[in-house]
């Protein structure tokens, strides 16, 4: 276990989330973002975590940061998590994509 590896932190956070330890998972995702604040992948993982728990505004903010750091990454997918979180957070601009679960693309 390397506490300075975002990959390890993200895997550990995913495990904690699956075990129902949401507070611990949130802390680990946040630690990964703090460790590499300009890494679109860490922001996407945090946003995805919030999205899964229907924390729309937090999901939108994190996913928007992911998009900011990688405009061609996962957050840029049309009607993907960012667009769905935006719509469900109450921002009614952009594609009308409601959260219906995960987007169909990988």
């Amino acid at each position: 276990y390397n506490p300075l590896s975002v990959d390890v932190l993200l895997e550990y956070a995913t495990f904690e989330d699956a075990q129902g330890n949401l507070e611990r998972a949130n802390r680990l995702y946040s630690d990964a973002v703090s460790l590499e604040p300009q890494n679109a992948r860490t922001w996407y993982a945090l946003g995805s975590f919030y999205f899964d728990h229907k924390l729309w505004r937090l999901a939108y903010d994190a996913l928007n940061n992911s998009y900011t750091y990688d405009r061609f990454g996962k957050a840029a997918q049309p009607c993907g998590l960012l667009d769905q979180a935006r719509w469900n957070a109450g921002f009614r601009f952009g594609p009308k994509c409601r959260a219906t679960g995960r987007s169909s693309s990988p």
Side-chain angles (χ1 to χ4, degrees), residues 1-2 10 12 16 25 30 32 49-50 52 59 62 65 70-75 78 88 93-94 98 100 105-106:
Y1 170 70
N2 179 356
L10 295 177
Y12 190 20
E16 291 293 342
S30 297
F49 169 74
Y50 290 143
D52 287 345
N65 280 331
D70 183 0
R71 294 188 183 273
F72 302 100
K74 291 172 92 173
N88 285 287
F93 61 90
R98 293 188 172 96
T100 58
S105 41

Side-chain angles (χ1 to χ4, degrees), residues 28-92:
L28 290 163
Y29 283 119
S30 297
D31 287 348
V33 166
S34 294
L35 191 60
E36 292 187 18
Q38 295 182 355
N39 183 332
R41 194 168 51 92
T42 60
W43 281 109
Y44 190 87
L46 179 62
S48 178
F49 169 74
Y50 290 143
F51 185 94
D52 287 345
H53 296 287
K54 297 179 173 48
L55 300 168
W56 305 125
R57 179 56 195 248
L58 294 172
Y60 169 74
D61 290 342
L63 292 165
N64 193 53
N65 280 331
S66 177
Y67 176 79
T68 297
Y69 292 116
D70 183 0
R71 294 188 183 273
F72 302 100
K74 291 172 92 173
Q77 295 175 339
C79 287
L81 296 187
L82 173 59
D83 288 339
Q84 292 178 52
R86 179 186 301 120
W87 182 264
N88 285 287
F91 302 110
R92 301 293 193 237

